[in-house]
């Protein structure tokens, strides 16, 4: 068995009011893929920031040994000089520069201060070929998809003569096809002798590529498992992550039964939307759906099916060009041309992209929660800061948002806690209908269960919930009914009893309108 290339011993990292890491130990062997699992807030990213020099030596306790040498990294450049390169979940690429320029940004191929573009393009082409990227090296990063952008980041890491590659949630924003390609690349790099650390919430992916799995919980190392000897069952990993067996992934739920003759809380009829740039292309094509009070209705579809486009266009027409269709609330037609109109009619939309559209990461938790309902905490146009703080504190307790206080900047929270703030922000408004777009994307199983419980409680209170998710088990576990979409059109509608993964997938991969 290969010896350790990395040892992190008794790492302690404290922030004001919270101990993020407490006596964490990690050992990574030469040439292996080592996975790190844990709930949001368990300390995974903090540990990697210690390793990479984001948290410099002196700001933490403990020792970092790389290739047998004690390291005291003062910044990222110092760790990269040793061959440790980290690729964060939020990609650090400049969209309007070319692929080649991004690969060598900060590491330019230059002689006496003059960049050699021929050498830049030649080396970029070699690196791109190594990671399976076949675009021209002068293609703008803005003109390629997220999956290919992830490959650019890996090519950029390889250009720095990486010895230890750290990938933080590398497939979180990728579809299944791009995720599979990326995992294949990680295994290919392993065959070439590369050592990798992968942080992921997707347990099936971890079991596919990892040789070892270290589980963190509450800033502590729980255990390290060897994949080869069969220790890494999904149940064992989950039990280690959350500190208990999770017999049920979803709250117990009694399927909703609509009252006879009751109109749907929300009904969308023959809704059609064109692409914002290519206005000949329909991104939502004649879709008709409905949801009743107390009901959770799922919308399933592959990437590009039109699910998010449907939700955003109904919620204040925030996507595309409206081409036709009506929205009815409790049987009466309503106007939702703007976001204030939609909110006034009791409709809320929890976006799939919480960091860009759901939150102001530089502002406090309290202000983020009150943002959509400022009128409820204002007196004569002036926000009552005491009332705002009290509202936020109530949500902190009821939603179990892990933070010392609501004056903390929301950008400091883990992904799961950020998602709870987004939900709090819209629950505070008091909506009747909620569009939840990928509400558990990028968060761990423990936080997912908490959010599922919140959603189930909202439905029990009589809210109507439209639940968009790319995870079919999630839809099957949570929803009373499920619609399927493909290429902007509705292709199926199934009750809880009728729905199954293979049934849904058949409907998600075809392109014809449902007739029921």
């Amino acid at each position: 068995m290969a010896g350790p290339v990395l040892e992190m011993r008794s790492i302690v990292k404290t922030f004001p009011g919270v101990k993020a890491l407490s006596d964490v130990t990690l050992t990574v062997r030469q040439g292996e893929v080592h996975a790190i699992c844990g709930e949001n807030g368990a300390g995974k990213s903090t540990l990697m920031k210690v390793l990479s020099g984001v948290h410099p030596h002196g700001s933490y306790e403990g020792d970092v040994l790389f290739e047998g040498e004690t390291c005291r990294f003062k910044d990222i450049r110092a760790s990269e000089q040793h061959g440790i390169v980290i690729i964060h979940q939020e990609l650090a690429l400049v969209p309007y520069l070319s692929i080649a320029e991004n690969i060598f940004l900060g590491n330019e191929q230059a002689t006496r201060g003059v960049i050699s573009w021929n050498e830049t393009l030649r080396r970029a082409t070699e690196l791109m070929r190594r990671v399976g990227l076949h675009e021209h090296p002068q293609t703008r990063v803005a003109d390629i998809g997220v999956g290919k952008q992830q490959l650019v980041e890996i090519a950029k890491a390889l250009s720095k003569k990486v010895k230890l590659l750290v990938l933080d949630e590398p497939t979180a924003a990728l579809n299944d096809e791009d995720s599979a390609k990326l995992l294949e690349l990680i295994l290919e790099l392993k065959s070439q002798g590369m050592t990798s650390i992968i942080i992921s919430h997707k347990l099936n992916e971890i079991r596919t590529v990892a040789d070892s799995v270290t589980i963190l919980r509450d800033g502590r190392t729980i255990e390290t498992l060897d994949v080869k000897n069969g220790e890494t069952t999904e149940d064992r990993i989950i039990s280690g992550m959350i500190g208990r067996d999770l017999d049920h992934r979803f709250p117990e739920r009694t399927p909703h039964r609509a009252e006879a003759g009751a109109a749907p809380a929300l009904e969308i009829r023959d809704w059609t939307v064109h692409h914002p740039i290519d206005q000949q292309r329909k991104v939502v094509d004649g879709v008709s759906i409905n949801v009743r009070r107390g009901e959770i209705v799922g919308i399933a579809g592959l990437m590009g099916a039109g699910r998010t486009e449907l939700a955003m266009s109904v919620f204040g027409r925030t996507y595309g060009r409206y081409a036709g269709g009506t929205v009815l609330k409790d049987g009466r037609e309503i106007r939702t041309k703007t976001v204030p109109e939609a909110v006034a009619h009791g409709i809320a939309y929890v976006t799939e992209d919480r960091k860009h559209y759901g939150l102001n990461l530089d502002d406090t938790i309290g202000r983020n929660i009150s943002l959509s309902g400022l009128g409820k905490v204002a007196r004569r146009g002036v926000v009552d800061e005491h009332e705002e703080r009290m509202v936020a504190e109530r949500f902190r307790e009821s939603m179990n948002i892990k933070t010392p206080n609501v004056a903390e900047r929301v950008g400091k929270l883990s992904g799961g806690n950020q998602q709870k703030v987004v939900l709090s922000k819209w629950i505070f408004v008091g909506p009747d209908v909620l569009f939840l777009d990928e509400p558990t994307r990028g968060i761990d199983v423990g936080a997912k269960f908490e959010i599922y419980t919140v959603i189930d409680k909202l439905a029990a209170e009589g809210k109507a919930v439209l639940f968009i998710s790319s995870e079919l088990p999630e839809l099957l576990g949570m929803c009373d009914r499920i619609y399927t979409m493909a290429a902007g059109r509705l292709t199926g509608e199934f009750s809880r009893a009728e729905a199954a993964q293979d049934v849904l997938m058949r409907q998600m991969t075809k392109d014809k309108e449902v007739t029921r």
Side-chain angles (χ1 to χ4, degrees), residues 277-319:
I277 299 174
D278 181 3
Q279 297 192 2
Q280 300 302 311
R281 178 158 68 93
K282 294 179 180 178
V283 291
V284 180
D285 190 0
V287 170
S288 297
I289 64 174
N290 65 76
V291 56
R292 299 178 183 277
R293 293 184 182 275
E295 190 179 31
I296 301 175
V297 173
I299 305 178
L302 302 175
M303 295 282 285
R307 301 164 300 163
T308 294
E309 292 82 353
L310 171 66
M312 290 182 67
S313 58
V314 170
F315 185 69
R317 301 188 188 174
T318 49
Y319 180 88

Side-chain angles (χ1 to χ4, degrees), residues 34-97:
H34 194 110
I36 300 179
C37 292
E39 292 189 90
N40 289 100
K44 308 181 298 296
S45 294
T46 302
L47 185 65
M48 292 302 98
K49 287 177 180 178
V50 167
L51 172 62
S52 63
V54 173
H55 298 318
H57 182 263
S59 69
Y60 62 88
E61 300 173 31
D63 297 310
V64 176
L65 284 81
F66 186 67
E67 296 183 321
E69 175 188 348
T70 299
C71 297
R72 298 178 175 86
F73 301 137
K74 63 179 182 179
D75 53 28
I76 294 174
R77 184 174 291 273
S79 66
E80 289 185 347
Q81 286 173 348
H82 279 71
I84 300 171
V85 179
I86 183 168
I87 299 175
H88 297 279
Q89 184 176 349
E90 288 78 28
L91 302 181
L93 299 174
V94 181
Y96 297 109
L97 294 182

Side-chain angles (χ1 to χ4, degrees), residues 194-473:
M194 177 72 70
T195 306
S196 301
I197 295 174
I198 180 171
I199 299 173
S200 179
H201 292 123
K202 299 181 180 180
L203 303 186
N204 60 324
E205 293 182 356
I206 286 172
R207 295 175 65 198
T208 298
V209 301
D211 299 293
S212 305
V213 180
T214 293
I215 301 171
L216 300 184
R217 183 173 75 240
D218 297 330
R220 297 177 181 273
T221 304
I222 301 303
E223 60 179 340
T224 295
L225 306 174
D226 191 330
V227 173
K228 294 177 183 176
N229 65 14
E231 293 177 335
T232 52
T233 64
E234 196 165 299
D235 286 344
R236 179 162 178 178
I237 294 173
I238 291 171
S239 177
M241 287 169 61
I242 65 178
R244 66 183 190 280
D245 292 325
L246 193 59
D247 297 326
H248 302 287
R249 301 285 178 88
F250 307 97
E252 292 293 335
R253 176 166 175 75
T254 302
H256 172 82
R257 287 183 171 80
E259 297 179 15
L266 185 75
E267 184 175 4
I268 302 166
R269 293 180 182 172
D270 198 27
W271 196 257
T272 301
V273 177
H274 289 173
H275 191 276
I277 299 174
D278 181 3
Q279 297 192 2
Q280 300 302 311
R281 178 158 68 93
K282 294 179 180 178
V283 291
V284 180
D285 190 0
V287 170
S288 297
I289 64 174
N290 65 76
V291 56
R292 299 178 183 277
R293 293 184 182 275
E295 190 179 31
I296 301 175
V297 173
I299 305 178
L302 302 175
M303 295 282 285
R307 301 164 300 163
T308 294
E309 292 82 353
L310 171 66
M312 290 182 67
S313 58
V314 170
F315 185 69
R317 301 188 188 174
T318 49
Y319 180 88
R321 186 172 65 84
Y322 169 77
T326 55
V327 179
L328 293 89
K329 173 92 179 299
D330 298 322
R332 298 178 60 184
E333 185 174 343
I334 61 172
R335 288 164 49 96
T336 60
K337 284 186 176 182
T338 66
V339 169
E341 279 186 333
V343 173
H345 284 296
I347 302 172
Y349 171 61
V350 176
T351 174
E352 65 176 338
D353 190 344
R354 59 179 174 264
K355 291 185 182 295
H356 286 93
Y357 303 117
L359 297 168
N360 180 349
L361 297 178
D362 292 325
D363 214 336
T364 66
I365 296 165
R367 287 177 183 163
N368 271 276
I369 289 174
S370 67
L371 194 58
S372 293
L374 284 175
K376 300 178 73 172
V377 293
R379 304 288 182 271
R380 297 178 181 177
V382 178
V383 172
D384 183 333
E385 293 186 359
H386 174 73
E387 179 66 18
E388 182 181 58
R389 186 169 59 255
M390 295 303 294
V391 166
E393 285 290 349
R394 288 199 296 271
F395 278 106
R396 183 176 73 88
E397 293 179 10
S398 64
M399 299 288 280
N400 192 26
I401 301 170
K402 295 176 183 176
T403 179
N405 61 75
V406 296
E408 285 286 335
R409 190 169 62 87
V410 79
K412 290 185 176 181
L413 298 179
S414 66
N417 286 303
Q418 287 180 356
Q419 193 66 15
K420 292 175 187 177
V421 174
V422 177
L423 284 167
S424 300
K425 162 184 163 180
W426 285 111
I427 293 170
F428 175 54
V429 175
D432 301 315
V433 179
L434 288 99
F435 282 94
L436 304 181
D437 196 350
E438 303 284 5
T440 65
R441 171 173 285 172
I443 63 176
D444 61 81
V445 289
K448 280 185 177 182
F449 188 84
E450 290 183 315
I451 288 175
Y452 295 149
T453 302
V454 171
I455 295 169
D456 197 55
K457 181 181 177 182
L458 291 170
E461 293 171 353
K463 310 293 186 185
V465 178
L466 280 158
F467 193 129
I468 298 170
S469 177
S470 298
E471 297 185 29
L472 294 184

Side-chain angles (χ1 to χ4, degrees), residues 80-88 92-93 99 102-105 107 123 127-128 130-131 149-167 185 189 194-196:
E80 289 185 347
Q81 286 173 348
H82 279 71
I84 300 171
V85 179
I86 183 168
I87 299 175
H88 297 279
L93 299 174
I99 294 173
N102 271 280
I103 288 175
F104 293 107
L105 190 62
N107 183 31
R123 287 205 58 205
L127 291 164
M128 290 166 65
R130 188 176 174 189
V131 301
Q149 289 179 16
Q150 190 73 265
L151 298 181
V152 174
E153 281 279 22
I154 295 176
K156 183 177 179 179
L158 296 177
S159 76
K160 300 173 182 177
K161 298 180 181 178
V162 60
K163 298 177 183 178
L164 174 61
L165 180 63
V166 182
L167 301 109
L185 175 59
L189 293 173
M194 177 72 70
T195 306
S196 301

